[in-house]
Amino acid sequence: MQCLVITGASSGIGLATANTFQQAGWRVINISRSACPLKGVVNVTADLADPTMVAKISALLLDSLQGCTALSLIHNAARLDHDTVQAVDPEALRQTYEINLIAPAALNRLLLPAMSEGSSILYVGSTLGEKAVPGSFSYVTSKHASIGMMRATCQDLAGSGIHTACINPGFTDTEMLRDHIPADVMPEIAQMSAFGRLIDPTEIGATLLFAAQNPVLNGSVLNANLGQIER
Ligand SMILES: NC(=O)c1ccc[n+]([C@@H]2O[C@H](COP(=O)([O-])OP(=O)(O)OC[C@H]3O[C@@H](n4cnc5c(N)ncnc54)[C@H](OP(=O)(O)O)[C@@H]3O)[C@@H](O)[C@H]2O)c1
């Protein structure tokens, strides 16, 4: 059986992705603080900001993989703060890096021995992995590093039959976006795509399933943003 291990499937893009993979016949294992509401998903409760997270969940996580032939590991959970280069809080920056970067690296190390040929490691990046906007300092720097991590993953796993890619969503209709953008500004945000609307999380889920199934994408950065309008 094909298995998906995904972080942050309790809401938004992660939840939609878990549903998409489940519908396609995959077993889904979610890692987040609150549970994924989908029936049949195995929940491994963890706070990715906790540096001891992997030690705490490794036995349960590895046990949940029994019977998995190929694995897709999707690093989806992330933290997004409003902060700037002038006023970044070092502890908040550390926590963002712990969730957005250290946890993916630690999960890769834990799960790679269980990943056979045909497996994949997919990173959910952001448009802000390749450009910056004011006021999202820690997020922008971490998402740039996600692309670097994907590229290093590709080089280190050459010959293993395991592929990787980084999918960069544009403005997607989730709690993270609604928390970050005031409601009265949202219509303007929707107009920043060439389709004049927000992305539905299911569209990113479908893109991630496609990436998991197509090793030809190995090493790619995929911009899944409906064509962002630059102003
Ligand atoms: N929405 C957008 O417009 C957009 C655009 C570009 C990129 N993205 C990227 O898409 C990904 C998903 O974001 P989303 O929009 O779907 O956000 P979301 O709805 O807020 O979901 C975030 C998920 O991350 C999990 N998470 C956050 N902190 C965690 C922690 N400390 N430990 C464990 N899990 C944690 C949350 O689970 P718990 O709270 O249950 O722990 C939740 O399931 C992120 O990588 C984000 O950067 C989103």
Side-chain angles (χ1 to χ4, degrees):
M1 164 171 274
Q2 291 182 302
C3 296
L4 168 67
V5 175
I6 182 167
T7 60
S10 58
S11 71
I13 289 171
L15 173 56
T17 303
N19 189 38
T20 302
F21 277 69
Q22 223 182 22
Q23 296 301 316
W26 294 53
R27 183 197 298 170
V28 177
I29 297 120
N30 166 51
I31 306 170
S32 55
R33 292 166 298 183
S34 48
C36 173
L38 297 173
K39 207 174 151 210
V41 168
V42 177
N43 283 293
V44 176
T45 307
D47 181 354
L48 299 177
D50 174 0
T52 64
M53 174 272 301
V54 163
K56 285 178 180 156
I57 67 168
S58 60
L60 182 58
L61 187 54
L62 293 172
D63 195 49
S64 73
L65 300 180
Q66 278 180 28
C68 296
T69 45
L71 204 67
S72 184
L73 171 57
I74 301 188
H75 300 298
N76 165 72
R79 170 170 165 158
L80 166 59
D81 287 347
H82 286 284
D83 57 9
T84 61
V85 67
Q86 299 95 325
V88 64
D89 169 23
E91 189 45 39
L93 181 66
R94 221 170 264 125
Q95 293 230 348
T96 296
Y97 287 178
E98 194 72 48
I99 297 165
N100 298 12
L101 297 168
I102 312 289
L107 288 170
N108 287 345
R109 199 172 83 152
L110 176 72
L111 294 183
L112 269 165
M115 295 175 84
S116 54
E117 204 170 315
S119 295
S120 59
I121 296 177
L122 303 177
Y123 297 86
V124 178
S126 168
T127 311
L128 297 181
E130 293 189 313
K131 63 178 238 184
V133 292
S136 299
F137 178 82
S138 53
Y139 184 79
V140 165
T141 57
S142 76
K143 289 295 182 178
H144 275 68
S146 297
I147 293 177
M149 195 181 293
M150 183 279 292
R151 291 188 170 131
T153 302
C154 175
Q155 295 305 313
D156 287 343
L157 296 185
S160 68
I162 300 168
H163 70 278
T164 185
C166 182
I167 285 71
N168 289 342
F171 296 111
T172 308
D173 191 7
T174 68
E175 210 174 301
M176 181 182 281
L177 188 69
R178 288 189 288 272
D179 281 352
H180 199 67
I181 307 274
D184 59 325
V185 183
M186 206 58 99
E188 205 180 304
I189 293 295
Q191 291 307 316
M192 287 178 72
S193 95
F195 279 60
R197 64 169 176 85
L198 297 178
I199 298 159
D200 190 90
T202 58
E203 295 179 278
I204 305 300
T207 307
L208 285 160
L209 180 61
F210 181 81
Q213 292 171 327
N214 286 278
V216 72
L217 295 173
N218 193 22
S220 297
V221 177
L222 301 175
N223 293 322
N225 62 24
L226 289 172
Q228 199 149 310
I229 309 249
E230 303 295 344
R231 296 201 167 94

